[in-house]
Amino acid sequence: MKRSLFALISIVLLFLGGCSRSVEPKAEASRETLMPVVRVVQGRQQTLQRELQVVGNLLGNEEVIVSAQVDGPVKRVLHDLGDAVSQGAVLAEIDPTELNMQMQRAHASYREALARLGVPEGSEKIPAIEDTPEVRQARAQLDDADTKAKRMESLLQRGVVSQQTVDDAHTAQKVADAHYQAAIQSVKNMTASAQQFRAALSWSRKKAQDTIVRSPLSGIIQEKMVSVGEYLKVNQAMFKIVSIQPLKLRAQVMEKDAQLVRAGMSVDLTVDAVPDRHFQGTIRRIAPAVEENTRTFTIEAAVPNPSAVLKPGFFARCTIPVGNYQAVMAPQESIVNIAGLKKVYVIDGDVVQDRTVDVGRTANNWVEIKAGVKPREYVAVSNLQTLSSGLKVRTEK
């Protein structure tokens, strides 16, 4: 009886053992079936351009205030706000009546002075002192007196004339010389007076010309500050003109980046007014000193503006390429945002690793990973919502 019971128990145990061994492969297969399938992409290295991001303002290449050069009422205003003007274009005219009268008086005085010097009508050339009629006449009288004095001295030696006659000849010679010197001084005074009248005439002519107000450069009228009939004083502002081709970009660069920036580098910029376009400029000038308060230094770039889309005063966001570097890149779809942090899921074998990453630039749907992923590591790009650190997965490359 005991033997029969022992044999029965042995048979049951053998049966149960066989069943457990057949269940284990099935359970393992079931677990593998339940593992999520994740598509992975291998991270890669890529050469990127190192860039400085700065902000700045666009300014007119040249800005001038056109002021009145003479007193007088405004007779005409030919341009207004926003008008494009070329260099030398007439902007306005000041009434020239009073200045024309001054010019006529100066011309009459100058003509009178020339007449006293013997200058014929139609000529304004001031002659040399020896060529004036007064000096020529005095010189002729002096030469005659010299000749007579020499003749009397010769006759005295032959006993023909008395000593008194010779003395009278010498006296006449001295008088003629005095007249000659006086004539020279008189002509010098008249010449100086003529030159003074000529200067006054030139000044009055210039003032008469200054009643025509012209633009000193090509540009756009940014502000008009006069009206017809307004009486102007000398140096009173009339127009503000700004040159917009090219424009000037002025931006601030951090002190730590001083060695990266140099003249001749290109600048890419965007403005809020034209968000869909990029504009190019070239660095022309770099400030020699750093501003103590901001620890920045100023750069200036020339920005072509042939279509006048850009305007002075625009705020510009600028990118300055300063070289290349090697970056680790991951697909953009591998990045997830969790509680304000950017993360990727790195697949090491078949195990998920949750990593926080520091991202940089984006290029062709690939994102620069500054920290958190090494080159050639695999990152998940599908089923990201189901993944967690330590989870085992099956991968599709």
Side-chain angles (χ1 to χ4, degrees):
M1 181 71 179
K2 290 182 179 179
R3 291 180 178 175
S4 299
L5 181 60
F6 179 76
L8 179 61
I9 292 171
S10 298
I11 291 170
V12 170
L13 290 175
L14 288 173
F15 175 77
L16 291 176
C19 290
S20 64
R21 283 193 297 272
S22 65
V23 169
E24 285 178 1
K26 293 181 180 180
E28 186 68 24
S30 177
R31 284 194 296 271
E32 289 183 358
T33 302
L34 294 175
M35 290 172 61
V37 177
V38 177
R39 188 164 60 89
V40 296
V41 175
Q42 191 176 40
R44 68 187 186 192
Q45 274 195 322
Q46 182 174 331
T47 300
L48 295 182
Q49 196 171 57
R50 180 175 284 107
E51 298 174 339
L52 293 182
Q53 304 294 330
V54 298
V55 294
N57 291 292
L58 292 173
L59 307 171
N61 189 47
E62 298 289 345
E63 294 184 5
V64 296
I65 301 294
V66 180
S67 302
Q69 300 299 304
V70 295
D71 295 341
V74 178
K75 184 178 180 180
R76 292 192 304 160
V77 176
L78 282 72
H79 291 282
D80 209 328
L81 175 70
D83 287 354
V85 294
S86 58
Q87 185 176 11
V90 177
L91 304 176
E93 183 181 351
I94 299 171
D95 191 338
T97 303
E98 184 177 346
L99 291 171
N100 285 339
M101 294 174 61
Q102 292 179 8
M103 182 174 63
Q104 291 171 3
R105 287 195 297 267
H107 185 268
S109 298
Y110 181 46
R111 186 63 253 170
E112 181 181 354
L114 290 177
R116 290 200 302 267
L117 291 170
V119 178
E121 188 70 30
S123 174
E124 293 187 355
K125 182 179 179 181
I126 297 177
I129 293 176
E130 293 291 340
D131 295 334
T132 58
E134 185 175 351
V135 173
R136 286 203 306 268
Q137 181 181 3
R139 182 66 194 182
Q141 292 173 350
L142 176 59
D143 291 340
D144 181 63
D146 289 341
T147 301
K148 288 180 179 180
K150 291 178 181 179
R151 185 183 304 118
M152 291 302 106
E153 289 175 354
S154 176
L155 293 174
L156 177 63
Q157 291 176 359
R158 289 183 288 171
V160 175
V161 295
S162 64
Q163 181 63 45
Q164 183 61 46
T165 302
V166 174
D167 291 343
D168 292 342
H170 281 301
T171 299
Q173 184 184 32
K174 291 178 181 178
V175 172
D177 183 65
H179 287 167
Y180 173 67
Q181 297 300 328
I184 289 177
Q185 187 59 49
S186 175
V187 171
K188 283 183 177 179
N189 293 338
M190 287 190 292
T191 299
S193 179
Q195 291 172 340
Q196 182 178 359
F197 286 130
R198 181 170 63 184
L201 177 59
S202 297
W203 180 86
S204 63
R205 283 174 176 168
K206 180 185 181 304
K207 288 301 180 181
Q209 292 173 353
D210 287 341
T211 59
I212 305 298
V213 182
R214 300 181 182 274
S215 174
L217 52 78
S218 296
I220 304 294
I221 295 180
Q222 185 173 344
E223 189 174 356
K224 179 181 78 74
M225 296 167 273
V226 294
S227 300
V228 173
E230 180 179 357
Y231 192 90
L232 300 178
K233 293 291 186 180
V234 173
N235 295 328
Q236 182 174 338
M238 300 179 66
F239 299 90
K240 183 177 183 180
I241 301 177
V242 57
S243 171
I244 63 171
Q245 171 52 19
L247 285 176
K248 180 166 55 180
L249 168 70
R250 186 170 293 169
Q252 303 298 317
V253 177
M254 297 299 295
E255 176 185 8
K256 64 182 180 64
D257 299 320
Q259 298 302 317
L260 300 177
V261 180
R262 63 183 181 274
M265 282 184 166
S266 63
V267 180
D268 180 89
L269 60 138
T270 59
V271 296
D272 292 340
V274 197
D276 57 337
R277 287 187 58 181
H278 285 254
F279 302 89
Q280 298 297 319
T282 304
I283 297 176
R284 298 299 189 197
R285 296 177 179 85
I286 299 176
V290 172
E291 297 180 9
E292 294 184 2
N293 294 334
T294 61
R295 308 313 304 175
T296 62
F297 61 95
T298 303
I299 63 170
E300 282 189 3
V303 181
N305 188 31
S307 57
V309 174
L310 300 174
K311 298 185 182 297
F314 276 4
F315 177 79
R317 296 175 179 84
C318 313
T319 301
I320 306 174
V322 293
N324 297 325
Y325 66 100
Q326 295 296 315
V328 178
M329 307 292 289
Q332 193 168 13
E333 61 265 35
S334 68
I335 310 296
V336 294
N337 290 306
I338 301 177
L341 298 177
K342 294 187 182 297
K343 295 190 175 186
V344 299
Y345 294 105
V346 176
I347 310 302
D348 185 7
D350 60 355
V351 178
V352 176
Q353 294 182 2
D354 175 352
R355 295 187 190 174
T356 301
V357 294
D358 181 13
V359 301
R361 299 162 54 195
T362 300
N364 298 324
N365 295 323
W366 285 71
V367 179
E368 177 189 3
I369 307 296
K370 296 181 177 180
V373 177
K374 297 177 181 179
R376 305 187 69 80
E377 286 189 315
Y378 285 95
V379 295
V381 294
S382 67
N383 292 331
L384 301 183
Q385 295 79 8
T386 64
L387 302 182
S388 61
S389 188
L391 179 69
K392 288 190 173 183
V393 295
R394 289 187 296 151
T395 62
E396 291 181 355
K397 297 181 181 178

